[in-house]
Amino acid sequence: MNVLVGTSTWEEVLPVWRDQLWPGRKSKIEPTSAMRYLGGYDMQNMQFVPVFFSLTTDRIIAINSVVMCADGSARSRGLWVDPSFRGKGYARIVLENSILQAKEWGAKHIWTVPRKSSWSSYQHVGFVQQTDWFSEGVEFGPNCYASMML
């Protein structure tokens, strides 16, 4: 089976995020988020266009997005790997592509709000946990804030 590394469109990503990553999510799923690093919201973040890095066979088997934020940072968001393909390093590949893209954009750091269940993937590529785990205010917690200087 050939696994291709590339990018996907929002139209390709949305069904994966809606049905696999965030099934039953109450808040609307958008290509970007107004969340700010370490809390709060900045609606200016919604103006930036994300890149969706993916691994595909005949379908998406791994995905992660990266988008610039108004404060000059970049956000990694929406990491998902098909359960039958986990443990093969695919999360690392899409995360590393996201990090490289953030560097190309000139971001000073990249941040994320990972689930506890996916934390090891983020640690393996160099993210550092910045807060305790929390479940309040998130639908699919526990989560924390994590970042990496670029």
Side-chain angles (χ1 to χ4, degrees):
M1 168 189 338
N2 286 339
V3 175
L4 302 174
V5 180
T7 59
S8 291
T9 65
W10 171 239
E11 292 74 24
E12 294 166 325
V13 171
L14 178 58
V16 175
W17 280 4
R18 180 191 61 225
D19 302 335
Q20 304 297 322
L21 180 62
W22 297 311
R25 182 172 158 162
K26 294 173 184 71
S27 58
K28 184 176 180 184
I29 299 172
E30 302 275 359
T32 59
S33 168
M35 284 181 75
R36 284 188 351 210
Y37 179 56
L38 297 177
Y41 296 93
D42 185 342
M43 294 310 292
Q44 291 182 33
N45 288 346
M46 300 300 286
Q47 72 183 331
F48 297 97
V49 178
V51 175
F52 302 101
F53 288 102
S54 60
L55 298 178
T56 58
T57 56
D58 58 337
R59 60 191 169 82
I60 293 174
I61 61 167
I63 190 79
N64 191 64
S65 74
V66 63
V67 65
M68 282 300 293
C69 297
D71 67 1
S73 68
R75 180 174 179 200
S76 169
R77 177 174 176 251
L79 177 65
W80 175 82
V81 178
D82 182 294
S84 61
F85 289 91
R86 292 181 183 167
K88 299 179 184 302
Y90 292 162
R92 187 189 81 246
I93 293 169
V94 293
L95 286 170
E96 287 174 347
N97 276 278
S98 298
I99 293 163
L100 289 173
Q101 181 65 62
K103 286 179 181 178
E104 270 187 41
W105 285 334
K108 51 190 170 191
H109 75 277
I110 186 170
W111 62 278
T112 189
V113 186
R115 291 182 188 177
K116 196 171 198 176
S117 60
S118 64
W119 175 237
S120 65
S121 295
Y122 289 94
Q123 266 187 309
H124 279 61
V125 298
F127 279 88
V128 176
Q129 186 174 340
Q130 302 296 333
T131 66
D132 290 334
W133 295 101
F134 58 89
S135 293
E136 188 174 320
V138 294
E139 291 183 57
F140 296 91
N143 300 85
C144 71
Y145 281 91
S147 67
M148 174 194 312
M149 295 306 294
L150 299 176

